[in-house]
Amino acid sequence: MNKKLITLTALAAVLTAACSGHKDRNAYDPLADSGRTQKTENLLANLKAQGDSGVYMFGHHDATVYGIGWEADYANDSTVGARSDVKSVCNDMPAVLSFDLGRIELGGDRNLDGVPFSRLRQEIINQFEHGGLTTISWHVDNPLSGGTAWVADSLKDVETKTVEAVLEGGSQHEKFLGWVDMVGDFLNALETPYGVKVPVVFRPWHEHSGSWFWWGQAHCTAEQYKQLWRLTADRLKAKGVTNVLYAYSPGTESDGDPEKYMERYPGDDIIDVLGVDTYCGAPDGDSVKIAAYAQKLDKHLAMIETIAKAHGKALALTETGYEGIPQKQWWTKTLAPVLAKHPVAYVVVWRNARERPSHHFAPYPGHASAADFVSFYNLKETLFLHDVNALYLERK
Ligand code: BMA
């Protein structure tokens, strides 16, 4: 190479670096040795430490997109992050938002609960910019039957073969990889205007210890379930996704037996957060059933706490709630006393369905449990959005 060419090549390299913005981006958003962004690793370290320090973040599914009696104006960007039933009750946003990507795999504009994916993206970035966290689930349709994530009795034979069909060598493998790629595109698009990737907790294949989803216990072997996870994580990695932590969230079918809880665990190299999904099943407000929920929750969190410590993972109550919240003081008398006993990083309650008002898990103005929720908000253990500001900073 002659001298002139070398000089030109060097100049081109300098100009490319200066104009592409890559230099700046790396300064804001470097990759850690793990291949994930440093902020994603910081988040994991902070989730673990937060649990240990006796505080936990409160989360609510679909909190900012609709609630009882209202729905955000998706066409108006100024309404992003502006309203939630929780905020209307305690004047603060949940520290954790939870959203679902169900139906993204079909290439449509809206998820299974009618919320535009473009809006979810804005909400997640906005939540990050305010210091909060988002966790994402995926009620993915059945690629083999064409049905929903939920098993239909009429399709039982097909449902039982779905996991096998999406794994390598299966009839739906290629189609399924395309579906995971669409999730990857969404995760990759979670980026601030400054090019910072927004770390999120991704929680696919949840409640697999039950059999109501096509990836559930009765529909695949333990090995197949683990392969499903590995396939998902590997594919997302190959897509360049660097901003996710993965949460494992069975139901309570293990009944507190650690071996059963871990029977389908995909591995320490994949999972970052250990959790459980469990609901207070006392529609009649029966105090005996409410007490049984508290006991069950306590038992499971105690079990998972031990496993999380042994495996170096964060602990979370990945889904819970009491539909309709018939117990006025459920927040401070049932939920908080159990959570106070375990190092949970966060708790997420399910959605306040605007299209089915009885299907709500957080209070709204005028709700019988609203006053108690304010007391819950005021507990020193609970963190809401105003309380979190260092989730993505390196721990010193
Ligand atoms: C379920 C219900 C459904 C909803 C789904 C995904 O628990 O709330 O109505 O479609 O979660 O959000």
Side-chain angles (χ1 to χ4, degrees):
M1 204 185 270
N2 70 32
K3 235 179 164 176
K4 204 166 157 194
L5 194 58
I6 292 174
T7 314
L8 278 178
T9 313
L11 186 64
V14 169
L15 283 176
T16 311
C19 301
S20 69
H22 277 282
K23 215 168 166 217
D24 285 343
R25 173 170 307 194
N26 288 339
Y28 283 126
D29 202 16
L31 286 185
D33 292 343
S34 62
R36 302 195 284 207
T37 69
Q38 187 58 50
K39 285 187 173 54
T40 308
E41 294 300 338
N42 294 348
L43 171 64
L44 178 57
N46 286 316
L47 290 178
K48 289 187 215 171
Q50 196 170 73
D52 285 336
S53 62
V55 292
Y56 54 88
M57 296 186 284
F58 179 80
H60 186 204
H61 189 72
D62 277 355
T64 51
V65 285
Y66 56 76
I68 302 305
W70 65 278
E71 178 149 19
D73 177 1
Y74 301 135
N76 181 352
D77 290 356
S78 73
T79 66
V80 171
R83 181 169 178 181
S84 77
D85 282 345
V86 163
K87 188 180 176 197
S88 300
V89 167
C90 69
N91 201 27
D92 201 348
M93 280 285 180
V96 180
L97 297 182
S98 163
F99 294 116
D100 197 276
L101 294 184
R103 305 243 168 103
I104 200 167
E105 66 277 3
L106 305 184
D109 296 342
R110 290 177 184 240
N111 79 355
L112 77 170
D113 294 315
V115 185
F117 292 110
S118 55
R119 179 61 175 234
L120 295 185
R121 178 178 164 272
Q122 287 176 299
E123 293 288 351
I124 295 167
I125 294 170
N126 180 71
Q127 176 75 351
F128 170 74
E129 287 178 326
H130 287 83
L133 173 65
T134 299
T135 162
I136 298 176
S137 51
W138 189 23
H139 283 86
V140 52
D141 271 8
N142 184 318
L144 187 60
S145 72
T148 68
W150 287 268
V151 171
D153 278 345
S154 55
L155 296 168
K156 208 115 209 166
D157 292 349
V158 184
E159 307 278 7
T160 303
K161 297 195 176 74
T162 308
V163 173
E164 190 181 359
V166 303
L167 296 177
E168 209 173 329
S171 65
Q172 305 303 307
H173 185 60
E174 290 304 318
K175 175 174 166 182
F176 181 70
L177 290 181
W179 285 12
V180 178
D181 285 349
M182 287 195 249
V183 171
D185 288 339
F186 182 87
L187 296 170
N188 280 332
L190 298 176
E191 195 178 275
T192 71
Y194 293 97
V196 175
K197 292 274 184 202
V198 175
V200 292
V201 174
F202 186 38
R203 187 175 67 91
W205 317 129
H206 65 303
E207 299 173 12
H208 67 277
S209 50
S211 299
W212 45 90
F213 297 129
W214 59 257
W215 55 87
Q217 183 83 17
H219 314 305
C220 58
T221 65
E223 207 39 53
Q224 287 169 337
Y225 178 78
K226 291 182 199 176
Q227 282 176 27
L228 178 65
W229 257 103
R230 198 156 289 277
L231 179 70
T232 310
D234 284 352
R235 186 71 177 189
L236 291 177
K237 198 169 188 183
K239 274 291 271 183
V241 172
T242 55
N243 52 333
V244 293
L245 299 177
Y246 289 103
Y248 177 69
S249 62
T252 53
E253 287 73 17
S254 68
D255 197 26
D257 174 347
E259 263 179 42
K260 278 196 192 149
Y261 177 85
M262 293 298 270
E263 187 204 61
R264 298 185 171 210
Y265 182 64
D268 278 344
D269 57 330
I270 295 183
I271 299 299
D272 303 293
V273 179
L274 294 181
V276 64
D277 289 13
T278 183
Y279 284 83
C280 186
D284 44 5
D286 180 349
S287 59
V288 175
K289 289 183 193 154
I290 294 172
Y293 158 80
Q295 212 177 14
K296 181 172 66 167
L297 181 60
D298 188 26
K299 181 174 170 181
H300 281 265
L301 290 178
M303 166 188 68
I304 306 167
E305 176 182 344
T306 306
I307 301 172
K309 283 274 174 292
H311 290 251
K313 306 298 174 188
L315 167 65
L317 179 48
T318 39
E319 262 189 56
T320 197
Y322 187 3
E323 189 173 33
I325 325 155
Q327 186 193 15
K328 272 189 187 165
Q329 293 183 303
W330 188 76
W331 303 100
T332 61
K333 295 285 183 276
T334 300
L335 184 63
V338 181
L339 294 183
K341 293 167 69 179
H342 307 284
V344 293
Y346 60 86
V347 50
V348 172
V349 299
W350 209 240
R351 65 197 194 102
N352 281 12
R354 75 303 203 190
E355 79 286 5
R356 186 163 38 119
S358 64
H359 189 57
H360 65 264
F361 298 84
Y364 48 85
H367 190 280
S369 80
D372 187 58
F373 189 81
V374 174
S375 304
F376 176 76
Y377 172 77
N378 285 324
L379 292 177
K380 64 182 188 321
E381 292 87 6
T382 56
L383 302 179
F384 285 69
L385 193 57
H386 285 151
D387 303 314
V388 291
N389 53 23
L391 269 184
Y392 304 96
L393 300 182
E394 197 170 344
R395 295 194 65 75
K396 295 284 180 221

